[in-house]
Amino acid sequence: MSGCHDLHSHSRYSDGTLSPAELVRHARACGVDVLALTDHDTTAGIAEAQVAAREAGMRLIAGVEISVTWAQRVIHIVGLDIDTRCAELQAGLAHLRGARRERAQHIAERLARSGIPGALEAVTAAAGVEAVGRSHFARFLVEQGHVKDAKRAFKRYLGRGASCYVASEWAVLAEAVGWIRAAGGVAVVAHPARYSMSRSVMRRFLEEFTAAGGGGIEVVSGCRDTQQARLLADHAREFGLCASAGSDFHAPENSWTVPGRLSALPPGCEPVWARWSGPHDAGAVS
Ligand code: AMP
Ligand code: MN
Ligand code: MN
Ligand code: MN
């Protein structure tokens, strides 16, 4: 299956700003042929995105981005081509959304103690949000004029080490991979370059990930350089993992991420979408 693949994106059900249908239409207008909706810890937007994708003449891959705690780090694992009806997956995601709600309460308490009341009400009032996250707090802080932009909101209030940071315990790596596989999907390491892991830590991580049944890594993401992509392609080959590509699109306002604006996979990669060719996608992409 050829065409432009973007296998990492967000809707309003987590921390994106577009509805699933708006996201699909926007991605289509940007030239995407195959889009994965991968909201944080929820699949609530998939059904709406599927309908919109059919109307727009593009293929939608059901996905999710699962928050994992590994060696005191937060790692994101994307699940692609999942059956959203899988009870094991949904139970795991429901638990994570509970942890998100609990963390949101603590963040709001800290903000209130810093003289910024009303944050919890504001972030939970945002209609349709299934997985409440720090981006929602960041938008609230910008709207209230406490900071100029989201980046500063993370630096000053929400990021690790900032005044209102609240640590949380996310899924165990092997569990998250297990849920994705139980749902018939392929587990992919999201934006591996963003964790600032040394080469040896990355290899230790990939060993565990592969042993747990992980299937791929995002070799190409948002604004990564080609040298980075080549290094990740080497890791993929070494561990027998497929290569994925995704923009991690959240909002049209973030001009640095555009759906489908991705460089090609380095030579020698096995694209994750090669797994989906065959009868099950016959006629899905015109
Ligand atoms: P959470 O999963 O709720 O802890 O929030 C993580 C999300 O916040 C990421 O998926 C990004 O969308 C966003 N994010 C993380 N760091 C930053 C940053 N420095 N500036 C803007 N957004 C960020
Ligand atoms: Mn996000
Ligand atoms: Mn992520
Ligand atoms: Mn993401």
Side-chain angles (χ1 to χ4, degrees), residues 123-254:
V123 300
T124 50
V129 175
E130 278 261 315
V132 62
R134 286 181 293 164
S135 303
H136 301 104
F137 284 98
R139 281 183 207 124
F140 165 77
L141 290 166
V142 173
E143 275 161 26
Q144 297 287 307
H146 296 290
V147 282
K148 222 169 75 184
D149 54 31
K151 202 176 156 210
R152 287 178 172 83
F154 273 84
K155 198 168 162 52
R156 182 152 167 212
Y157 296 104
L158 305 165
R160 192 186 275 251
S163 62
C164 301
Y165 178 75
V166 177
S168 198
E169 210 39 57
W170 305 113
V172 170
L173 177 64
E175 274 175 11
V177 172
W179 303 337
I180 291 165
R181 283 170 59 98
V186 47
V188 171
V189 183
H191 42 66
R194 230 185 277 166
Y195 309 122
S196 32
M197 287 186 196
S198 68
R199 233 186 134 96
S200 63
V201 173
M202 177 62 82
R203 294 185 77 258
R204 189 157 61 82
F205 169 74
L206 290 176
E207 263 162 36
E208 257 187 59
F209 175 70
T210 309
I217 65 179
E218 270 177 11
V219 164
V220 169
S221 47
C223 31
R224 293 295 151 199
D225 52 68
T226 49
Q227 202 186 326
Q228 188 66 256
R230 249 181 267 131
L231 178 74
L232 292 169
D234 288 346
H235 281 312
R237 258 193 307 276
E238 182 183 347
F239 289 90
L241 296 165
C242 288
S244 187
S247 64
D248 202 5
F249 174 83
H250 282 76
E253 299 81 63
N254 301 348

Side-chain angles (χ1 to χ4, degrees), residues 4-10 32 34-36 38 78 80 188-192 194 217-224 243-249 256-263 265 272-273:
C4 174
H5 289 73
D6 188 336
L7 302 180
H8 187 153
S9 70
H10 296 272
V32 175
V34 182
L35 176 76
T38 56
V78 160
L80 295 176
V188 171
V189 183
H191 42 66
R194 230 185 277 166
I217 65 179
E218 270 177 11
V219 164
V220 169
S221 47
C223 31
R224 293 295 151 199
S244 187
S247 64
D248 202 5
F249 174 83
W256 58 93
T257 45
V258 175
R261 193 194 278 169
L262 294 159
S263 38
L265 294 179
V272 67
W273 50 88

